[in-house]
Amino acid sequence: MQGKRADIGNYKIDRVLPNRFIEAVGPVVFLDHLLPLIEINIKQEWMGAHPHRGIATLTYILNGEAEHLDSRGHHAKVHSGGVQWMKAGNGIVHDESIHADPTTDTALIHSFQFWINLPAKNKAEDPFYLPVEKTDVPLKVFPNNSGWIKVVAGDFEDMRSEIPAYSKQFIYHLHLEGRQLFSLRTEPTMEYAAYLPLQSLVVNDNEYYMGDLLVFEQREGEIEIKNIGINPVDLIFFGGEKYMEPVVATGPFVMNTHHEISLAYNDYYEGKYGVIRYDK
């Protein structure tokens, strides 16, 4: 299944999740793919301040320098290969921008943003922000340089991400060189999805293409990935334990009841989330 366009100004965005076929995979209720582009074409400084409540946002920056500001006073920049994680908790306003990474020799920008639904008890907690640079994201290189896997969130084998988790969840970035394969062992209690951001791949003996989102049956077994071409390819795996509480999502808020959604809007309009200071 394919996503839909949700561009913001000059930023070209593929909204992968939710879509008309599926609302969530594990605790992941939202996935935007900021398509690769050259920073010279970007005019705006910020994407626009907006509130969140009841979720954690995770931005994975493949290329670029991502800057974060929020109404709780957090401010940081994270570079290519790094991650920005923010627990919205009981309410926060944040803004982001992404530009060329001055630590590299490319003007390319490219990223993903996930929304991860929090358990009801954690939706009432205070917000928190965590920046993680590339050097602190766990990486396993496969034998003979056939590829690698990065643990953006969750754990894989003996590696564990620094990103906090309130339920069992994962986000992996798989990179395969030409003519290589990879198998991921699945658990029956987990939900699994894969997104092909730029290239085609063979998954469980079927070929899929750029922009395809694959959602797998919830059972024990293996997901087999084959790169049948000669050029490297990338794949984003994500999912986790099924979210068992009620879900009510409206705009930037994901809560458990319609009453909680009303409270989220009321608190925001009353200024209880605070304001961003852009003069930091």
Side-chain angles (χ1 to χ4, degrees):
M1 65 190 81
Q2 291 268 333
K4 61 182 180 181
R5 292 301 290 271
D7 298 350
I8 300 176
N10 293 312
Y11 295 107
K12 307 304 180 185
I13 295 171
D14 182 17
R15 181 146 299 161
V16 181
L17 194 71
N19 59 57
R20 64 192 181 98
F21 298 103
I22 190 164
E23 295 291 324
V25 181
V28 179
V29 294
F30 179 95
L31 171 56
D32 264 3
H33 177 205
L34 173 62
L35 299 168
L37 74 164
I38 300 301
E39 198 263 353
I40 194 172
N41 297 321
I42 299 299
K43 304 302 181 185
Q44 71 252 48
E45 286 297 314
W46 296 94
M47 290 190 176
H50 55 280
H52 286 299
R53 190 169 185 165
I55 59 171
T57 65
L58 185 150
T59 303
Y60 174 42
I61 306 104
L62 273 73
N63 304 95
E65 177 185 75
E67 186 171 8
H68 170 97
L69 269 176
D70 67 47
S71 57
R72 301 301 178 109
H74 303 117
H75 178 216
K77 294 180 180 180
V78 173
H79 302 88
S80 302
V83 182
Q84 295 198 88
W85 180 88
M86 182 187 75
K87 180 174 72 173
N90 57 22
I92 197 168
V93 178
H94 81 135
D95 203 348
E96 292 179 295
S97 71
I98 184 166
H99 293 284
D101 185 346
T103 69
T104 68
D105 59 359
T106 176
L108 185 67
I109 62 175
H110 185 198
S111 68
F112 300 91
Q113 184 171 94
F114 297 81
W115 293 5
I116 301 168
N117 200 359
L118 295 173
K121 63 181 181 180
N122 302 111
K123 292 179 185 291
E125 295 175 349
D126 288 338
F128 185 71
Y129 169 75
L130 178 66
V132 180
E133 289 284 13
K134 174 183 178 178
T135 52
D136 294 317
V137 179
L139 169 71
K140 177 180 179 178
V141 178
F142 302 143
N144 302 316
N145 290 318
S146 59
W148 46 259
I149 189 167
K150 291 177 68 172
V151 185
V152 178
D155 55 71
F156 178 80
E157 295 180 349
D158 60 346
M159 300 183 296
R160 180 177 295 273
S161 169
E162 290 186 19
I163 300 300
Y166 300 93
S167 64
K168 196 168 183 181
Q169 57 198 243
F170 66 92
I171 301 171
Y172 304 146
H173 177 184
L174 173 68
H175 177 90
L176 279 182
E177 296 295 330
R179 312 297 189 192
Q180 301 297 323
L181 60 86
F182 171 81
S183 292
L184 179 69
R185 187 73 184 173
T186 61
E187 303 175 28
T189 59
M190 302 277 279
E191 297 182 338
Y192 294 83
Y195 175 65
L196 282 62
L198 297 176
Q199 305 103 345
S200 62
L201 274 171
V202 172
V203 182
N204 292 342
D205 294 325
N206 294 306
E207 188 167 9
Y208 298 94
Y209 304 94
M210 173 182 174
D212 279 345
L213 172 68
L214 316 180
V215 180
F216 302 92
E217 293 181 3
Q218 194 174 350
R219 60 181 176 82
E220 185 174 5
E222 285 191 346
I223 300 171
E224 186 178 73
I225 311 297
K226 294 179 183 178
N227 178 5
I228 60 175
I230 60 173
N231 297 315
V233 296
D234 293 87
L235 181 76
I236 302 295
F237 275 118
F238 65 93
E241 290 180 322
K242 183 176 177 62
Y243 191 87
M244 300 303 293
E245 296 169 321
V247 178
V248 181
T250 304
F253 306 125
V254 183
M255 304 302 292
N256 300 111
T257 68
H258 290 283
H259 178 62
E260 290 172 344
I261 290 288
S262 296
L263 290 176
Y265 275 105
N266 288 342
D267 288 349
Y268 170 61
Y269 290 128
E270 290 176 4
K272 294 182 179 179
Y273 296 0
V275 296
I276 294 176
R277 288 183 54 191
Y278 287 95
D279 57 349
K280 285 182 172 290

